[in-house]
Amino acid sequence: MDSKKSNQLDRRKFLGLSALGLSSLTILPSWTINGIKIAPSDRVTMGFIGLGQQGMNDFRSFSAVPGVEVVAGCDVDSMKTERFKRTVEEWQQSLGLSPRVDKYEQYEELLERKDIDAVEICTPDHWHALQTIHACQAGKDVYVQKPLSFTIVEAEKMVRVANDTKRIVQVGSQQRSSAEFQKAIALVQSGAIGHIDKVYAKVGDPPAPLDLPEMKVPGNLNFNLWMGPLNDPKIHYHPDLCPPISLDPAEREKLWGAWRWYRETGNGFTADWGAHMFDIAQAAIGMDGSGPAEIIPKGVDGADYLTFKYLNGVVMTEQPYLEDMPNAQGIKFVGDDGWIEVARGYLACSKSELVPDELRGRRPRNLTPEERRKMFEEMQKAQAKGGGSFEISSPHMDDFISCVRSRQKPIAPVEVGASTAITCCLGNMATELQRSVKWNPATHSFGTDKEAWNHRLYDYEYRGSYKL
């Protein structure tokens, strides 16, 4: 046998042994396969909370990370927990493992399990804080989807609890793990285009008032539990908020959960894409863990776009980063010695020699909302046939699992997720108040601005018995 091959651990064998044989071997410090020692602690056992289409995509990403086991899933829609169970058990069988996935409606029951090391939280934004905090208090490490929180106070408390409990928390802003964005950040911070004065970060519109008609709640959905802490009498069930699926025949969701587009249930594109683009922009200009000092909404004080002013002099505006492509989400850094443009799969610089060939990619397409919808439908059809994927981000998951093992900070830690989520909240607050808002990013204070202190996106009273 080739000696090189004999010293390589086959991933299928690793997962098979860790799942089937680890329980009887945990008293041993290690065991050997093909001459390679494998520590029992290399196994990371996971539970998933929130099993919509993003949760399913995240499972596919985590399933590509060696040493990961998935043993439980939780959702308020019983059809989605059953879909998850079938999908995970099929994966387990493909690895030669005995299929076993437990289903839950109440996430607290999943967190009580002592055999779960880490959880993935992929619920609507208004659930992120409670579930992350409870997971940390239960001794679990957490991968929580972006944006980190629904309000500013939630973000602050999530940071405090994560640090107090010494848990690893990775925020799902997966662009942090993408080569084109990492290169853009490195170029800006190295001074490759000189001093940065402006950043154009195109993300999209803020949320609109909820205008969906009320409809009957299907029997497979616990909508009261979906609501959780939300405390607004205008919220009612509509299938766009909780996109339905079919098991037989298998049909995925036909749209993203529309809760994100409405003020009562989400923070619009400002947070949905701001958690990506504002996040990268702040990383590049040295504002990770900090934030803007003044936020000016579009149409106020001469601002043509939502504007964020930072204490280091940088001004970030929510405007097209490509003049001929106003609908494309991405970032442009403007320095006194050139510019850098970056989006998913695309990186360009006024000094073209600074961009490696493998990162140039294709210029983004200028898609209208209708074209985006059609593109998504085509991707859904491809997935239904067993091919294609949507927003799969294994490098980001791999970083999280590595940090669970090493206890080092991940690439998108809770502090960074908090500063980004707060920036998104501030943008929506200024837009709704229709005036400039001053914010002290060091003390997290609005000073004497009582209207800002009392805004629902700073904090709101949870419904019923729910407490933060």
Side-chain angles (χ1 to χ4, degrees):
M1 180 181 293
D2 184 279
S3 60
K4 183 177 180 181
K5 289 184 179 179
S6 68
N7 286 323
Q8 290 178 338
L9 174 64
D10 179 79
R11 176 172 171 270
R12 184 181 297 252
K13 290 179 180 177
F14 173 80
L15 287 174
L17 274 169
S18 62
L20 299 177
L22 188 57
S23 60
S24 63
L25 291 170
T26 51
I27 60 172
L28 300 177
S30 63
W31 72 96
T32 302
I33 305 174
N34 290 337
I36 297 176
K37 286 191 174 183
I38 307 299
S41 59
D42 279 345
R43 178 184 66 163
V44 176
T45 304
M46 294 189 66
F48 281 66
I49 302 171
L51 307 176
Q53 60 183 334
Q54 186 61 56
M56 295 299 294
N57 288 335
D58 286 357
F59 159 71
R60 294 183 179 93
S61 292
F62 274 112
S63 70
V65 181
V68 167
E69 292 180 46
V70 178
V71 298
C74 173
D75 199 277
V76 297
D77 185 330
S78 61
M79 291 183 71
K80 292 179 180 177
T81 53
E82 178 60 25
R83 174 181 66 178
F84 182 77
K85 177 180 173 66
R86 294 182 186 184
T87 301
V88 176
E89 289 186 344
E90 181 179 354
W91 169 68
Q92 290 170 330
Q93 288 178 316
S94 75
L95 298 173
L97 311 180
S98 297
R100 171 70 185 276
V101 179
D102 296 319
K103 300 186 296 183
Y104 299 93
E105 182 181 72
Q106 302 280 347
Y107 74 89
E108 294 92 341
E109 294 180 17
L110 183 150
L111 294 179
E112 289 174 356
R113 289 183 52 160
K114 302 300 183 184
D115 62 330
I116 292 179
D117 305 308
V119 295
E120 204 256 10
I121 295 173
C122 199
T123 49
D125 301 348
H126 66 272
W127 265 115
H128 287 183
L130 278 177
Q131 291 170 343
T132 298
I133 288 171
H134 290 160
C136 289
Q137 292 171 335
K140 316 301 183 190
D141 295 320
V142 181
Y143 183 104
V144 55
Q145 263 300 339
K146 58 80 196 168
L148 179 71
S149 66
F150 187 45
T151 69
I152 291 174
V153 166
E154 287 176 337
E156 294 170 339
K157 291 189 176 180
M158 292 166 83
V159 171
R160 185 159 60 250
V161 172
N163 287 329
D164 287 348
T165 58
K166 296 181 171 55
R167 306 319 305 172
I168 302 299
V169 178
Q170 171 90 300
V171 184
S173 298
Q174 79 271 14
Q175 290 180 173
R176 290 260 173 167
S177 297
S178 296
E180 66 271 24
F181 290 99
Q182 291 179 345
K183 183 63 175 179
I185 292 171
L187 287 173
V188 169
Q189 293 185 344
S190 70
I193 57 171
H195 176 74
I196 303 296
D197 292 313
K198 300 177 183 177
V199 180
Y200 306 150
K202 179 62 179 176
V203 300
D205 294 334
L210 182 65
D211 60 358
L212 297 172
E214 184 172 3
M215 298 183 71
K216 183 180 179 180
V217 180
N220 55 286
L221 175 67
N222 186 336
F223 188 69
N224 182 61
L225 190 54
W226 181 92
M227 286 268 298
L230 285 179
N231 191 17
D232 192 318
K234 296 190 291 295
I235 302 173
H236 50 250
Y237 171 75
H238 186 280
D240 283 5
L241 295 177
C242 314
I245 65 167
S246 171
L247 292 175
D248 302 301
E251 291 183 2
R252 288 170 56 103
E253 297 89 340
K254 292 182 170 58
L255 73 162
W256 292 108
W259 49 264
R260 69 197 69 209
W261 313 133
Y262 300 104
R263 288 181 183 177
E264 293 80 1
T265 55
N267 276 318
F269 282 99
T270 308
D272 196 51
W273 275 92
H276 289 307
M277 301 308 174
F278 296 162
D279 181 68
I280 296 297
Q282 291 194 156
I285 63 174
M287 286 293 150
D288 263 349
S290 182
E294 183 177 9
I295 307 89
I296 306 170
K298 179 180 178 180
V300 173
D301 296 337
D304 293 326
Y305 305 93
L306 175 62
T307 299
F308 302 87
K309 293 185 176 181
Y310 293 84
L311 293 175
N312 62 2
V314 177
V315 176
M316 179 172 70
T317 51
E318 193 284 309
Q319 71 182 83
Y321 77 108
L322 299 172
E323 291 184 2
D324 59 334
M325 296 186 177
N327 295 311
Q329 279 120 345
I331 310 167
K332 185 170 187 173
F333 299 95
V334 181
D336 57 16
D337 190 26
W339 52 263
I340 294 168
E341 296 170 347
V342 63
R344 293 187 182 180
Y346 169 72
L347 178 63
C349 180
S350 55
K351 302 175 182 180
S352 60
E353 69 276 7
L354 296 179
V355 180
D357 290 340
E358 66 272 16
L359 295 183
R360 294 182 189 278
R362 292 192 229 168
R363 202 161 187 259
R365 296 164 58 192
N366 187 31
L367 298 176
T368 65
E370 178 63 19
E371 288 171 333
R372 288 186 182 278
R373 184 185 67 79
K374 289 181 178 179
M375 181 180 71
F376 176 74
E377 288 177 352
E378 291 302 316
M379 297 175 76
Q380 294 283 57
K381 291 177 183 178
Q383 285 183 318
K385 294 178 181 178
S389 61
F390 189 81
E391 203 168 41
I392 300 298
S393 46
S394 294
H396 206 54
M397 280 68 173
D398 187 75
D399 177 71
F400 171 66
I401 297 299
S402 175
C403 292
V404 168
R405 294 180 176 126
S406 69
R407 312 314 294 171
Q408 300 298 308
K409 284 281 188 181
I411 197 169
V414 65
E415 295 87 355
V416 165
S419 63
T420 301
I422 290 171
T423 297
C424 297
C425 288
L426 292 170
N428 280 336
M429 288 175 64
T431 298
E432 291 178 24
L433 294 173
Q434 272 301 286
R435 63 171 174 80
S436 172
V437 172
K438 301 290 182 64
W439 170 253
N440 187 322
T443 62
H444 282 207
S445 171
F446 293 108
T448 59
D449 189 343
K450 294 182 179 179
E451 198 173 21
W453 283 115
N454 291 322
H455 195 280
R456 63 180 181 84
L457 290 179
Y458 175 71
D459 192 19
Y460 74 101
E461 183 178 353
Y462 277 10
R463 182 172 67 117
S465 61
Y466 291 99
K467 302 296 179 185
L468 185 62

